């Protein structure tokens, strides 16, 4: 069981950081049309960040996968490819997430 | 003299009534995303061994999607709080831009303004600042944000209850996290159209992986995200000079 104290601490920290980010532009950043150096840099980072962050978050969720022992990470990799193809073709995130999870859970609970 | 209310007041009343229903109607697509996601979050939370009441607490205090799913993993892994803070900063960084175009001047009073900024999610921002809700007045914006928030909390509570009746031997809910980030990654790649960013991220990920496995336990996110930030900052420097 996870301790209530750590659970609360994690939630509180995330909450405060998220609020700080949403409040920040009202204090830190200038008007959208002002072209200060800081603004330029932050905008560039904001534009280039999501791609890397999301790729790294996918990697984070599967980093402890052990591909050297049975079933060699195959349920994860197969489900990931199926979910990616589903999303790429249909653009429907619920279908892709639901389909990927259903396949993965079938594989780990019923097949391997 | 004034036995009947002045005509403009009556019109305002009629407006505010239809105004409420319009704001609620605009939350339907939000509900279609928030409720299933909230359910998935609640199931993941209880299936990971976290008490069900953290689902409503968490969704009330953190009104943001992906980081909330990560929070479950952080609790399970016992991730140090400085890493929790750093990861939230990076993952939610995009929110720093939302305030710039959010119509905050339509919100009255401190409480309404504070909630408006607190509840500036991807979806409520998109609708009120760049979508079908751009013309909403302050009251309608608040209704839209509150009702969307309610969908999110309800979904999570429902999921937490479902999660409690699922036998512990059933594994694999955490895969929802992987697939959710996968769809977000596909979106991001489509927008940026940049293979270079993907390669930079994979490079940062490989280094982060080795540090995580052989040097500092549970350091994957902070190491790989920092490396990626350094890499794109360097790209910025180069492009500025060019």
């Amino acid at each position: 069981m996870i301790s209530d104290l750590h659970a609360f601490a994690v939630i509180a920290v995330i909450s405060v950081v998220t609020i700080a980010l949403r409040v920040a532009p009202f204090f830190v950043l200038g008007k959208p049309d002002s072209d200060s150096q800081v603004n330029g840099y932050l905008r560039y980072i904001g534009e280039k960040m999501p791609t890397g962050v999301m790729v790294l978050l996918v990697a984070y969720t599967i980093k402890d996968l052990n591909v050297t022992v049975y079933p060699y990470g195959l349920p994860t990799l197969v489900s990931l490819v199926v979910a990616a193809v589903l999303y790429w073709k249909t653009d429907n995130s619920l279908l892709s997430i639901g389909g990927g999870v259903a396949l993965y859970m079938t594989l780990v609970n019923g097949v391997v | 003299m004034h036995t009947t209310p002045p005509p403009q007041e009556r019109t305002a009343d009629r407006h505010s009534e239809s105004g409420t229903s319009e704001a609620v109607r605009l939350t339907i697509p939000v509900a279609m995303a928030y409720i299933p996601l909230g359910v998935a979050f609640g199931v993941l939370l209880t299936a990971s061994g976290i008490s069900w009441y953290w689902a409503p607490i968490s969704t009330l205090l953190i009104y943001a999607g992906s980081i909330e799913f990560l929070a479950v993993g952080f609790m399970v892994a016992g991730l140090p709080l400085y890493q929790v803070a750093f990861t939230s900063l990076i993952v939610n960084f995009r929110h720093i831009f939302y305030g710039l175009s959010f119509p905050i001047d339509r919100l009255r009073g401190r409480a309404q303004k504070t909630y408006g900024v607190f509840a500036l999610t991807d979806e409520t921002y998109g609708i009120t600042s760049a979508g079908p809700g751009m013309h909403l007045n302050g009251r309608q914006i608040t209704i839209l944000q509150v009702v969307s928030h309610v969908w999110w909390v309800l979904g999570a509570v429902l999921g937490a209850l479902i999660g409690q009746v699922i036998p512990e031997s059933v594994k694999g809910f955490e895969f929802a996290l992987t697939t959710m980030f996968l769809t977000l990654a596909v979106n991001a790649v489509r927008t940026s159209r940049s293979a270079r960013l993907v390669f930079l991220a994979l490079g940062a990920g490989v280094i982060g992986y080795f540090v995580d496995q052989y040097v500092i336990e549970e350091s994957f996110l902070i190491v790989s995200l920092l490396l990626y930030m350094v890499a794109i900052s360097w790209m910025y420097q180069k492009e500025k000079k060019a």
Side-chain angles (χ1 to χ4, degrees):
Chain A
M1 209 65 183
I2 282 98
S3 93
D4 274 355
L5 184 67
H6 189 252
F8 181 73
V10 167
I11 290 170
V13 166
I14 295 175
S15 180
V16 168
V17 171
T18 306
I19 293 168
L21 281 168
R22 286 174 182 165
V23 171
F26 299 100
F27 297 98
V28 181
L29 300 178
K31 292 270 183 290
D33 52 350
S34 84
D35 204 356
S36 75
Q37 205 135 14
V38 181
N39 261 348
Y41 173 65
L42 286 182
R43 286 194 175 278
Y44 185 87
I45 294 290
E47 215 175 276
K48 305 292 176 190
M49 205 144 68
T51 302
V53 171
M54 293 310 161
V55 168
L56 286 170
L57 286 176
V58 173
Y60 170 70
T61 62
I62 57 173
K63 78 177 167 66
D64 294 320
L65 195 65
N66 192 340
V67 294
T68 59
V69 295
Y70 183 83
Y72 313 108
L74 284 174
T76 305
L77 298 176
V78 170
S79 311
L80 206 55
V81 170
V82 169
V85 170
L86 268 179
Y87 189 65
W88 201 275
K89 295 279 179 205
T90 65
D91 233 338
N92 183 332
S93 52
L94 286 180
L95 180 74
S96 160
I97 294 172
V101 173
L103 176 61
Y104 179 76
M105 289 185 68
T106 309
L107 291 175
V108 295
N109 291 296
V111 181
V112 294
Chain B
M1 282 270 297
H2 293 288
T3 46
T4 51
Q8 67 268 40
E9 215 169 274
R10 266 183 299 170
T11 342
D13 272 351
R14 260 213 313 279
H15 264 243
S16 74
E17 219 175 291
S18 68
T20 302
S21 59
E22 190 196 354
V24 174
R25 204 171 54 243
L26 282 174
T27 72
I28 293 172
V30 180
M32 284 166 65
Y34 280 14
I35 293 177
L37 265 184
V39 169
F41 169 70
V43 170
L44 176 70
L45 184 120
T46 42
S48 307
I50 299 165
S51 308
W52 72 270
Y53 48 79
W54 289 110
I57 297 174
S58 173
T59 43
L60 277 171
L61 294 180
I62 309 168
Y63 185 16
S66 35
I67 192 67
E68 204 135 3
F69 280 81
L70 277 175
V72 173
F74 296 164
M75 291 176 196
V76 174
L79 199 70
L81 294 179
Y82 75 91
Q83 286 208 36
V84 174
F86 177 78
T87 308
S88 332
L89 188 74
I90 301 295
V91 172
N92 276 343
F93 190 77
R94 63 187 186 282
H95 290 268
I96 205 168
F97 302 104
Y98 291 173
L100 294 175
S101 46
F102 181 63
I104 191 158
D105 42 314
R106 288 183 217 157
L107 303 179
R108 300 279 158 78
R110 188 166 286 184
Q112 203 183 355
K113 281 189 203 295
T114 306
Y115 181 78
V117 175
F118 165 79
L120 211 46
T121 65
D122 295 319
E123 289 75 12
T124 64
Y125 166 76
I127 291 172
T128 59
S129 312
M134 281 176 83
H135 62 282
L136 294 185
N137 63 36
R139 215 180 116 267
Q140 290 174 304
I141 291 174
T142 301
I143 291 169
L144 179 130
Q145 289 184 305
V146 171
V147 174
S148 303
H149 201 169
V150 169
W151 297 137
W152 181 228
V153 178
L154 278 183
V157 172
L158 185 65
L161 297 177
I162 295 171
Q164 289 205 307
V165 296
I166 295 174
E168 259 177 59
S169 57
V170 178
K171 298 173 294 181
F173 291 105
E174 72 285 353
F175 200 67
L177 196 58
T178 310
T179 47
M180 183 187 66
F181 289 133
L182 179 77
T183 60
L184 295 172
V186 170
N187 280 344
V189 172
R190 275 179 178 161
T191 310
S192 70
R193 300 175 152 275
S194 165
R196 178 153 68 147
L197 293 178
V198 176
F199 285 120
L200 282 178
L202 291 176
V206 169
I207 299 172
Y209 177 78
F210 282 105
V211 175
D212 181 273
Q213 301 288 316
Y214 303 109
V215 189
I216 313 163
E217 250 180 73
E218 286 303 325
S219 64
F220 179 84
L221 278 175
I222 195 160
V223 170
S224 61
L225 289 173
L226 262 178
L227 283 172
Y228 181 73
M229 290 284 285
V230 170
I232 55 177
S233 301
W234 182 66
M235 269 171 63
Y236 174 72
Q237 285 295 331
K238 266 199 355 190
E239 277 179 33
K240 219 177 52 168
K241 272 186 208 144

